[in-house]
Amino acid sequence: MASFSDPCSFSSLTKCITKHLNLTYNVEFDRRVLKAKVALTIEVLEDNFSSLTLDTKDLQIFTVTVNGQDAKFALGAKHSFMGTPLEITLPFELSRGQQVIVEVSYETAPTASALQWLTPEQTAGKQHPYLFSQCQATHCRSMVPCQDSPSVKHTYYAQVSVPRELVAVMSAMRDGQEPDPQDSSRIIYRFRQPVSMPSYLIAIVVGALESREIGPRSRVWSEKEYVDKAAFEFSETETMLKTAEDLAGPYVWGQYDILVLPPSFPYGGMENPCLTFATPTLLAGDRSLSNVIAHEISHSWTGNLVTNKTWEHFWLNEGHTVYLERMIGRSMESEQFRQFKAMGGWKDLQESINTFGANNPLTNLVPNLHEVDTDDAFSSVPYEKGFALLYHLEELMGGPEVFMGFVKSYIQLFAYHSVTTEEWKNYLFTYFKDKVDILNKVDWNAWMHTPGMPPVKPQYDTTLADVCITLCQRWVKAGEGDLGGFREADVKTLSTHQLIEFLSLLLQEEPLPLGHVQKMQEVYDLNSCMNAEIRSRWLRLCVRSKWEDAVPMALKMATDQGRMKFTRPLFREVYNFDKYKAEAVRVFQAHRAAMHPVTANLVAKDLKVDSSQTTSF
């Protein structure tokens, strides 16, 4: 036990463990701060216990009490991205097994990296301000002093005071509301999370929210401008939940709601328990992008119930979740559809590895994160290299039903715990004890601890991809004189998924001549397509072929929404077009203040903008 450490946390993980958090928030939009109090119920793991360390980041600490008695506290040196350790000295000694309540009253900074404060103009309704949090991976410490490590799991209760015209929701079960006794212009919303979970899953949103019921245990939440569209888009949620339960076991979190955020939300989705956060770029109008919801639903088992012990083992969360998401796709669509999505994932992995560099240790499945900012390490590697390993093992062990048996058993064994790659691997060998000779032939070091593409490329079934591959090759091989042979009919029969795949394939090739993309626009009219997955790839393709008309459209898409999957590559593409490099930087700097702090920080690095000019860090 004593040897365990988390390179991304300052907190005392071997001395004590948090069992419960009781949070009180007063949301102050005018100052852009949370005025807060947190009571941590802490269980002691060693004798002669008299001090502990919590993670904080940019917090102003007012007082600390321990079982109601004043306690001495001091903030350590500020680390460039890990924040500041909060050292607390107890007024008495405790022994192993005892519990103690440590209460901290504090205030967040207006620049807290977990929070984005939106002005009314940045919302759909334009009338009211909006607040949302994104704690994964290590930002919870900027809104709660805590043991900010996924190795620690606790329940929580919260009460949140907000202006009465707004609604608060959290990653927990709703537990009623009442007028704020201190201020009649405010309402207190209450929440309880009875299932133990890591700190990175604490989440809060405050805004002019409405909701619609979309299933027996599901509602969709958003501003009223999005709510009906979202209810349509995510109407298959209950079917997905049932399918996931058939695969992985009972859903333990009670409610499964979806909240559609404003466009600056940096991710596709975030698996906050009871309340998945989703980007509005999923609202395609045809339910074609709902696989992101299948992914977030899957996290209810892999990630939220069984959690990576440190961020170095992030692939345990994401690789298994992609595997489950694609098994849901297999049940709801077909095995060919699963194979098709797996092929697309392999291309995403290739692109990530090209971006990071094939020798970059951050492309290891299990990277070393000592002195590494987890935001810098984020990529599709843990998702798609992780999935490729699980798919490879599935093939070796006897197919999807056999391997899904292992995944379900792994979930049941490690439910409510945090795990390392070593523990996962040991259980794999135990579960498949009759096939250990086959498992021993796997090149584990190449898969886990070597940068670049995996040592084995699975042979995926290309049935649904063949038409995409053929069309891609026609464009690549076409001379000027062949362009007249392309017709609108080429893409009319393609599904949304196939059109995305066709464009992804083209992005893997050398840039097309300018005349080719102009002809493609003439016959396929891709400029008019508003599906974000299609549009982002199409605009990248145009900019890469140096079509100047596409530059303002690419920069508009990069700033109209803030999902990093789209925003970062679009900015990078324009930046790499020498004539428009300065324009990319100018547009970024003009929009920077309105961007999410994590997105702004990473785009600044992509565009080599001096990070000392950062507004948010």
Side-chain angles (χ1 to χ4, degrees):
M1 179 74 192
S3 63
F4 171 70
S5 72
D6 181 337
C8 306
S9 170
F10 289 121
S11 63
S12 335
L13 299 171
T14 53
K15 293 171 62 168
C16 61
I17 186 162
T18 306
K19 301 307 263 183
H20 181 73
L21 288 184
N22 198 324
L23 274 166
T24 308
Y25 278 142
N26 198 306
V27 181
E28 300 193 6
F29 279 99
D30 51 344
R31 296 170 55 226
R32 295 193 156 193
V33 301
L34 300 177
K35 204 162 169 34
K37 207 164 61 182
V38 62
L40 302 98
T41 304
I42 287 176
E43 182 173 321
V44 176
L45 300 176
E46 61 176 27
D47 287 331
N48 309 315
F49 174 86
S50 60
S51 67
L52 73 150
T53 305
L54 297 176
D55 289 300
T56 76
K57 187 177 177 186
D58 302 329
L59 297 179
Q60 192 179 349
I61 310 292
F62 300 124
T63 59
V64 178
T65 65
V66 178
N67 286 356
Q69 297 182 41
D70 285 346
K72 290 201 182 80
F73 66 92
L75 287 165
K78 183 175 178 175
H79 183 277
S80 59
F81 53 82
M82 276 171 56
T84 310
L86 171 62
E87 320 276 357
I88 298 169
T89 307
L90 274 60
F92 42 73
E93 273 196 0
L94 292 169
S95 47
R96 180 177 166 84
Q98 289 189 283
Q99 288 197 343
V100 62
I101 292 181
V102 176
E103 191 168 285
V104 183
S105 47
Y106 66 98
E107 193 169 277
T108 61
T111 54
S113 56
L115 302 174
Q116 188 175 13
W117 299 86
L118 301 179
T119 61
E121 299 74 58
Q122 288 172 282
T123 66
K126 311 286 183 219
Q127 297 296 305
H128 297 288
Y130 195 107
L131 165 69
F132 70 86
S133 67
Q134 167 60 35
C135 287
Q136 196 178 29
T138 56
H139 299 290
C140 186
R141 62 193 70 176
S142 74
M143 56 182 257
V144 192
C146 62
Q147 292 184 298
D148 198 7
S149 165
S151 62
V152 176
K153 291 186 160 185
H154 45 69
T155 52
Y156 81 88
Y157 193 87
Q159 40 189 349
V160 183
S161 170
V162 302
R164 70 173 175 215
E165 61 277 10
L166 302 182
V167 174
V169 285
M170 289 190 77
S171 52
M173 301 294 281
R174 296 189 303 287
D175 195 39
Q177 62 192 73
E178 69 222 33
D180 187 332
Q182 313 289 307
D183 183 343
S184 61
S185 70
R186 301 175 70 87
I187 294 183
I188 292 176
Y189 286 89
R190 295 173 171 274
F191 305 93
R192 64 184 170 86
Q193 180 49 271
V195 182
S196 284
M197 50 160 254
S199 57
Y200 74 85
L201 293 175
I202 295 175
I204 183 170
V205 169
V206 181
L209 300 175
E210 292 193 3
S211 70
R212 298 274 184 281
E213 193 172 289
I214 54 168
R217 46 186 159 174
S218 300
R219 303 188 76 81
V220 62
W221 296 81
S222 73
E223 291 184 79
K224 71 167 180 287
E225 289 75 9
Y226 288 137
V227 76
D228 292 319
K229 209 174 174 193
F232 169 81
E233 207 74 36
F234 305 137
S235 59
E236 298 168 313
T237 298
E238 180 60 24
T239 310
M240 284 182 182
L241 275 168
K242 283 205 174 89
T243 306
E245 288 186 301
D246 290 342
L247 291 164
Y251 177 79
V252 303
W253 304 89
Q255 191 74 6
Y256 181 81
D257 288 359
I258 300 170
L259 176 109
V260 179
L261 285 116
S264 62
F265 182 59
Y267 296 101
M270 179 61 210
E271 65 273 16
N272 298 314
C274 309
L275 185 70
T276 278
F277 284 17
T279 166
T281 62
L282 301 183
L283 303 178
D286 61 0
R287 303 186 178 130
S288 60
L289 305 182
S290 61
N291 64 294
V292 172
I293 300 301
H295 181 91
E296 305 312 333
I297 283 174
S298 300
H299 268 306
S300 307
W301 290 268
T302 48
N304 299 6
L305 197 55
V306 180
T307 307
N308 46 229
K309 197 165 191 177
T310 74
W311 296 111
E312 297 179 316
H313 304 283
F314 187 43
W315 85 272
L316 291 173
N317 277 20
E318 296 301 346
H320 287 86
T321 297
V322 173
Y323 186 82
L324 254 177
E325 165 204 340
R326 291 188 181 144
M327 288 298 280
I328 293 173
R330 176 178 187 258
S331 295
M332 289 177 65
E333 299 271 344
S334 65
E335 172 62 13
Q336 284 182 344
F337 180 72
R338 179 175 84 119
Q339 297 281 328
F340 175 75
K341 296 305 276 185
M343 282 180 67
W346 185 267
K347 261 189 297 304
D348 292 342
L349 176 59
Q350 185 73 68
E351 194 170 335
S352 271
I353 285 170
N354 292 346
T355 304
F356 274 78
N359 296 317
N360 189 322
L362 291 181
T363 65
N364 287 13
L365 189 58
V366 185
N368 176 351
L369 294 183
H370 187 73
E371 287 298 320
V372 174
D373 184 341
T374 50
D375 288 339
D376 292 345
F378 186 80
S379 76
S380 65
V381 170
Y383 297 73
E384 296 297 350
K385 203 181 207 177
F387 172 82
L389 171 59
L390 296 174
Y391 184 83
H392 176 56
L393 292 171
E394 171 195 299
E395 290 195 302
L396 293 177
M397 295 296 101
E401 283 81 4
V402 173
F403 198 71
M404 194 58 224
F406 160 71
V407 173
K408 184 174 187 176
S409 179
Y410 156 77
I411 290 165
Q412 286 171 339
L413 181 67
F414 292 107
Y416 310 102
H417 295 294
S418 301
V419 281
T420 62
T421 299
E422 202 53 38
E423 290 170 296
W424 168 85
K425 189 178 156 198
N426 288 342
Y427 186 58
L428 178 77
F429 275 71
T430 304
Y431 184 89
F432 289 114
K433 55 182 180 297
D434 312 344
K435 297 176 180 167
V436 166
D437 50 334
I438 306 175
L439 288 173
N440 279 327
K441 291 197 182 81
V442 173
D443 188 343
W444 294 102
N445 188 56
W447 275 102
M448 303 281 185
H449 305 293
T450 308
M453 290 300 283
V456 180
K457 179 175 183 178
Q459 291 305 300
Y460 296 122
D461 174 338
T462 63
T463 308
L464 292 174
D466 286 338
V467 53
C468 315
I469 296 164
T470 307
L471 186 58
C472 169
Q473 287 307 309
R474 272 183 65 201
W475 279 97
V476 170
K477 296 194 168 83
E480 273 316 301
D482 304 320
L483 294 181
F486 290 103
R487 298 273 178 274
E488 188 189 358
D490 302 341
V491 292
K492 267 287 165 268
T493 56
L494 298 189
S495 70
T496 300
H497 299 282
Q498 287 172 314
L499 193 49
I500 293 167
E501 176 68 7
F502 161 66
L503 293 168
S504 297
L505 287 163
L506 283 172
L507 283 168
Q508 284 205 305
E509 302 283 344
E510 288 300 305
L512 290 172
L514 176 56
H516 281 49
V517 291
Q518 289 173 327
K519 182 67 181 180
M520 199 179 288
Q521 167 54 23
E522 187 190 313
V523 287
Y524 301 162
D525 189 22
L526 291 168
N527 282 349
S528 68
C529 179
M530 285 298 152
N531 179 303
E533 296 282 354
I534 294 169
R535 188 171 183 81
S536 60
R537 287 172 175 82
W538 164 241
L539 292 174
R540 287 175 61 198
L541 199 67
C542 293
V543 172
R544 210 175 271 190
S545 297
K546 305 214 175 334
W547 191 1
E548 299 192 31
D549 293 1
V551 170
M553 290 192 283
L555 291 172
K556 185 175 184 334
M557 182 172 184
T559 51
D560 278 354
Q561 55 76 50
R563 185 176 175 187
M564 290 194 287
K565 177 181 185 176
F566 305 139
T567 292
R568 291 181 69 188
L570 285 164
F571 266 119
R572 277 200 296 260
E573 217 70 69
V574 176
Y575 182 79
N576 291 334
F577 187 167
D578 277 344
K579 184 174 175 181
Y580 290 94
K581 186 174 283 239
E583 177 67 358
V585 173
R586 185 194 70 75
V587 169
F588 167 61
Q589 287 183 317
H591 286 85
R592 183 174 200 161
M595 291 170 83
H596 187 275
V598 173
T599 312
N601 190 37
L602 291 169
V603 174
K605 287 180 181 173
D606 292 340
L607 304 190
K608 321 244 183 319
V609 173
D610 175 17
S611 57
S612 68
Q613 299 166 2
T614 312
T615 52
S616 321
F617 275 66

